[in-house]
Amino acid sequence: MADLSFIEDSVAFPEKEEDEEEEEEGVEWGYEEGVEWGLVFPDANGEYQSPINLNSREARYDPSLLDVRLSPNYVVCRDCEVTNDGHTIQVILKSKSVLSGGPLPQGHEFELYEVRFHWGRENQRGSEHTVNFKAFPMELHLIHWNATLFGSIDEAVGKPHGIAIIALFVQIGKEHVGLKAVTEILQDIQYKGKSKTIPCFNPNTLLPDPLLRDYWVYEGSLTIPPCSEGVTWILFRYPLTISQLQGGRQ
């Protein structure tokens, strides 16, 4: 099971009152204290669960990762849907963007499916992963599936080398122009089930390092149910910066 000490405060926006909600298919889950995901989602009992704390002193340098550099081939998405699913904000991408190289299997392309936002109720604690036990205000996930081996993300989940996630830590500071199209409409989708279409979203603006060299890699799982393993995590060392207003703070 994912360690709730890292994620119990990672929420999107408040849900509507119970009598206003529509019934959802599948099993309901949340971040409430004491919730045992492993009782409902067996994969959450696995050995390689995420998120984790990244101890920089214990990380091992792997020069082979530079032999075939991490190579995102992202394209601008037109008319992207931004949705509040009650747990996170999702940007669903319609255009085909792919990721290859680095720690990923040679010759395999991973298609970018969505971008997810995870943040908490306060600026000091919102990220799911921590670095030397330090949390960041927010964490973005660029979720990819192996389009070389599988026909869809549903087929790829839970399979070896099925999913690759780029994680980006976020700190409060200057405005991030690339995220402006998303953050400007957050108040319009502050309740579960709400969505809005934005005219343009460029995933390339989320990559902090042009050379794409400074990152940590480990094998883990999805951080939300069903918590399936087989996920290659790529976590960039240098965080993005957004303004207080973009982070929902006045």
Side-chain angles (χ1 to χ4, degrees):
M1 177 180 177
D3 189 338
L4 292 180
S5 65
F6 294 156
I7 63 177
E8 62 184 356
D9 286 336
S10 293
V11 296
F13 285 92
E15 299 182 12
K16 288 186 177 181
E17 293 300 323
E18 192 170 318
D19 58 355
E20 295 177 328
E21 291 183 357
E22 294 181 0
E23 289 295 324
E24 287 190 333
E25 294 182 1
V27 180
E28 292 286 345
W29 58 271
Y31 294 114
E32 294 84 0
E33 186 174 354
V35 171
E36 291 289 343
W37 289 353
L39 296 177
V40 181
F41 304 99
D43 287 352
N45 298 310
E47 184 178 356
Y48 300 100
Q49 286 291 290
S50 301
I52 65 170
N53 173 63
L54 298 159
N55 188 327
S56 60
R57 293 185 178 182
E58 294 180 356
R60 297 190 302 273
Y61 174 66
D62 184 356
S64 69
L65 293 176
L66 297 178
D67 293 342
V68 181
R69 291 188 182 276
L70 190 64
S71 178
N73 184 13
Y74 293 161
V75 297
V76 175
C77 175
R78 306 290 181 184
D79 297 326
C80 296
E81 185 179 13
V82 185
T83 301
N84 179 351
D85 70 357
H87 305 292
T88 66
I89 297 297
Q90 305 165 273
V91 182
I92 308 297
L93 304 174
K94 297 178 180 179
S95 55
K96 185 174 181 179
S97 295
V98 297
L99 179 70
S100 60
L104 304 177
Q106 189 171 355
H108 289 211
E109 285 191 340
F110 286 70
E111 186 170 330
L112 179 59
Y113 176 71
E114 67 178 2
V115 178
R116 282 180 171 260
F117 294 67
H118 296 268
W119 65 88
R121 296 183 177 91
E122 55 188 39
N123 284 340
Q124 289 75 26
R125 185 178 181 183
S127 64
E128 296 198 316
H129 290 84
T130 57
V131 180
N132 299 323
F133 296 102
K134 174 190 174 183
F136 289 81
M138 185 185 296
E139 186 174 331
L140 300 187
H141 293 165
L142 283 68
I143 301 174
H144 308 72
W145 59 277
N146 191 327
T148 301
L149 294 181
F150 307 102
S152 69
I153 189 170
D154 291 335
E155 290 182 16
V157 168
K159 306 295 196 310
H161 305 300
I163 301 293
I165 301 178
I166 288 181
L168 300 158
F169 297 113
V170 181
Q171 61 188 8
I172 303 298
K174 293 177 59 177
E175 180 183 74
H176 192 289
V177 177
L179 286 172
K180 193 171 182 179
V182 177
T183 57
E184 282 184 337
I185 56 96
L186 291 182
Q187 287 301 318
D188 297 331
I189 58 170
Q190 62 179 305
Y191 295 114
K192 177 181 178 180
K194 292 291 186 179
S195 65
K196 192 161 187 177
T197 299
I198 57 175
C200 179
F201 182 76
N202 186 358
N204 290 292
T205 63
L206 304 180
L207 302 176
D209 176 11
L211 298 178
L212 302 179
R213 293 184 301 182
D214 292 320
Y215 57 81
W216 294 285
V217 175
Y218 80 97
E219 294 297 318
S221 74
L222 300 177
T223 59
I224 61 175
C227 305
S228 306
E229 297 181 351
V231 176
T232 300
W233 282 92
I234 302 168
L235 301 102
F236 278 94
R237 175 183 175 188
Y238 297 109
L240 301 177
T241 300
I242 64 171
S243 67
Q244 288 271 1
L245 189 60
Q246 285 185 299
R249 318 294 184 203
Q250 300 298 327

